[in-house]
Amino acid sequence: MKKLNIVDNSGKLFYIGGVVRDELLGRASFDVDIVYEGNAIEHCSGFGKVVRVNPDFGTVRVKIGAEEIDFASTRSETYPRPGHLPVVDKIGCPLKDDVFRRDFTLNALAKSVMTAEIIDYTGGLEDLKAGVLRVLHDRSFIDDPTRIIRALKFSVRFGFKLEEHTRKLQEEYLQNINYDMCYKRIKKELMETFNLNSQEAFERFYDEGIYKLVSPRGIVRPAVNVSEIVNIVGVRNPWIVYVGVLDLSILELTKIEQRILKDFMELRGQKFENDFDIYKAFSSVAPETVAMYGVWVDKAPVSRYVATLKDIKISITGEDLLALGIKPSKQYAEIFDAVLREKLQHPDMTRDDEIRFLLTL
Ligand code: CTP
């Protein structure tokens, strides 16, 4: 865990949440959350140069040496609008109250910066050992349904199981979803979960009905290995391949994401007669769209495209046609297509072969 370059003998400064969990699991952690039991703005501003303060949340960013570190005040929260961001109830509350606003016991562990003692108010250590995800109270998913996707993410990432009562609470919530929720957070969790490219996440997301958080419409997942298709196509951030078949309009998609889905909608009704059709369809769309076709429509043409067709390119250009005395016109595209069609059948064709062939047209 990152060593803090500060002198603090208050005994009230704690690492908290993911960073403690990850250290106990022997995994790397990317962001370090630190909480002060009390008012962090007052207490931590003296550690270095204050870069930013947010009095509403009681947080302060301080530059210590070359590093900028965020310190949060302990805070309790309530959810006046379930499914939306909580509001801060009290800043500077006891650490215990801060811990109990969190999602799962494994994320509710604190570690004293001064003594390195682990503070465990919720049984997180035991659950960590047992490989179990457990919510802290029965309203957890009602307050924040994104936690259902977070549970999937953590359970796939760490190989953990949902504790029985937590699983029941999930089932109950999924039978009675309140669709008035913050979809920005849902999108973030979907992305983080499915960018793990996990087949298990795919199967559980559909089989356990977690997909209903996004779209109430029923869906049966295809019996394919998505993770394998994603790998053969080479999609780097594959989340949309896993969920793009749902109605995602509710998620505020980027222009690129909209394009991927639009192209998929256009392709999904198509059946391909030959290699040329496959090549034409897949070479002009994003890898995500190709993988989506493989998952949700038919894997065979995708495998064929990736293994055999993808790297075939014709060598002749417009300049070659001009040199042969063919005037630029619509005919160029037809010639290129005809040469491509031939080359897909004879990939060893050289540039001279291509020219010889086009002269026969
Ligand atoms: N948290 C929560 N409910 C959420 C999101 C976050 O209770 N819906 C709490 C958890 O205690 C979590 C902490 O806020 O540990 C920080 O959240 P985040 O950075 O999203 O999670 P990490 O646990 O750090 O997970 P990751 O490793 O995926 O970043």
Side-chain angles (χ1 to χ4, degrees):
M1 180 157 336
K2 188 192 280 184
K3 189 99 188 69
L4 288 183
N5 197 10
I6 53 170
V7 180
D8 182 70
N9 294 321
S10 68
K12 292 186 169 192
L13 214 48
F14 301 91
Y15 298 101
I16 192 132
V19 64
V20 183
R21 173 202 69 209
D22 288 343
E23 185 183 58
L24 291 165
L25 288 170
R27 300 174 70 104
S29 210
F30 298 103
D31 45 59
V32 179
D33 288 316
I34 299 168
V35 69
Y36 175 73
E37 189 175 24
N39 187 323
I41 301 175
E42 284 170 14
H43 185 81
C44 304
S45 294
F47 291 156
K49 187 172 175 300
V50 173
V51 179
R52 191 183 305 155
V53 177
N54 184 343
D56 294 342
F57 282 89
T59 56
V60 59
R61 179 172 294 177
V62 184
K63 188 159 187 202
I64 304 169
E67 269 184 304
E68 293 187 1
I69 299 188
D70 290 312
F71 295 94
S73 305
T74 41
R75 65 174 191 265
S76 54
E77 293 177 339
T78 46
Y79 287 83
R81 252 179 105 192
H84 292 267
L85 282 178
V87 295
V88 177
D89 214 23
K90 184 161 185 269
I91 289 182
C93 65
L95 177 66
K96 191 169 182 178
D97 297 350
D98 181 290
V99 152
F100 271 96
R101 72 178 165 83
R102 293 170 186 269
D103 51 1
F104 304 105
T105 60
L106 87 168
N107 286 338
L109 291 162
K111 178 179 171 179
S112 164
V113 171
M114 193 170 91
T115 64
E117 182 196 356
I118 300 286
I119 319 290
D120 178 11
Y121 289 117
T122 67
L125 279 175
E126 209 173 296
D127 286 343
L128 211 62
K129 264 194 223 122
V132 161
L133 281 154
R134 185 193 307 268
V135 288
L136 304 187
H137 56 85
D138 284 5
R139 280 189 59 85
S140 192
F141 294 141
I142 300 170
D143 285 343
D144 182 358
T146 63
R147 289 173 174 169
I148 291 180
I149 307 175
R150 284 173 68 81
L152 181 63
K153 173 178 80 176
F154 291 125
S155 90
V156 164
R157 198 197 279 170
F158 303 135
F160 279 23
K161 295 251 166 313
L162 256 68
E163 168 275 328
E164 255 332 289
H165 184 61
T166 300
R167 175 174 295 283
K168 271 211 197 87
L169 293 171
Q170 171 180 303
E171 270 168 32
E172 277 168 25
Y173 186 77
L174 290 174
Q175 273 157 27
N176 192 15
I177 298 171
N178 174 8
Y179 283 96
D180 173 20
M181 69 175 90
C182 173
Y183 282 97
K184 205 168 161 191
R185 300 167 82 204
I186 294 277
K187 183 180 178 189
K188 173 179 172 285
E189 294 301 339
L190 284 177
M191 290 174 82
E192 289 185 14
T193 304
F194 288 113
N195 282 343
L196 296 170
N197 194 25
S198 154
Q199 180 64 16
E200 185 197 335
F202 173 68
E203 291 172 11
R204 286 185 38 197
F205 184 73
Y206 290 99
D207 297 352
E208 293 175 18
I210 302 173
Y211 71 90
K212 289 186 201 150
L213 288 171
V214 182
S215 152
R217 190 168 53 86
I219 200 161
V220 178
R221 70 168 172 86
V224 291
N225 189 327
V226 183
S227 156
E228 184 190 291
I229 294 174
V230 161
N231 285 334
I232 63 165
V233 176
V235 183
R236 266 193 283 152
N237 292 307
W239 75 278
I240 206 161
V241 176
Y242 284 83
V243 296
V245 78
L246 302 170
D247 178 4
L248 298 185
S249 50
I250 211 158
L251 293 190
E252 281 194 28
L253 298 174
T254 63
K255 286 260 170 337
I256 293 173
E257 289 160 355
Q258 287 174 26
R259 175 94 241 165
I260 289 167
L261 296 183
K262 187 165 173 282
D263 286 344
F264 171 67
M265 292 310 286
E266 278 167 22
L267 274 190
R268 76 183 298 181
Q270 277 187 41
K271 287 269 173 284
F272 305 118
E273 300 281 322
N274 51 45
D275 284 350
F276 179 76
D277 289 353
I278 296 174
Y279 186 98
K280 278 297 212 185
F282 292 158
S283 60
S284 58
V285 297
E288 285 88 341
T289 305
V290 178
M292 280 188 73
Y293 190 95
V295 172
W296 298 100
V297 183
D298 186 5
K299 183 181 161 191
V302 171
S303 300
R304 171 99 187 127
Y305 176 68
V306 174
T308 317
L309 310 176
K310 189 162 77 69
D311 296 323
I312 298 175
K313 306 257 177 318
I314 59 170
S315 308
I316 51 158
T317 64
E319 278 175 25
D320 294 314
L321 300 192
L322 212 53
L324 289 168
I326 307 167
K327 289 213 185 75
S329 72
K330 258 195 356 223
Q331 205 197 348
Y332 271 32
E334 287 164 18
I335 294 172
F336 290 141
D337 275 355
V339 175
L340 174 64
R341 211 181 268 275
E342 187 68 11
K343 191 160 183 175
L344 290 172
Q345 290 177 45
H346 309 284
D348 293 338
M349 279 172 84
T350 62
R351 184 167 164 278
D352 287 346
D353 293 335
E354 290 177 25
I355 291 175
R356 263 194 296 279
F357 173 75
L358 83 87
L359 290 172
T360 67
L361 292 171

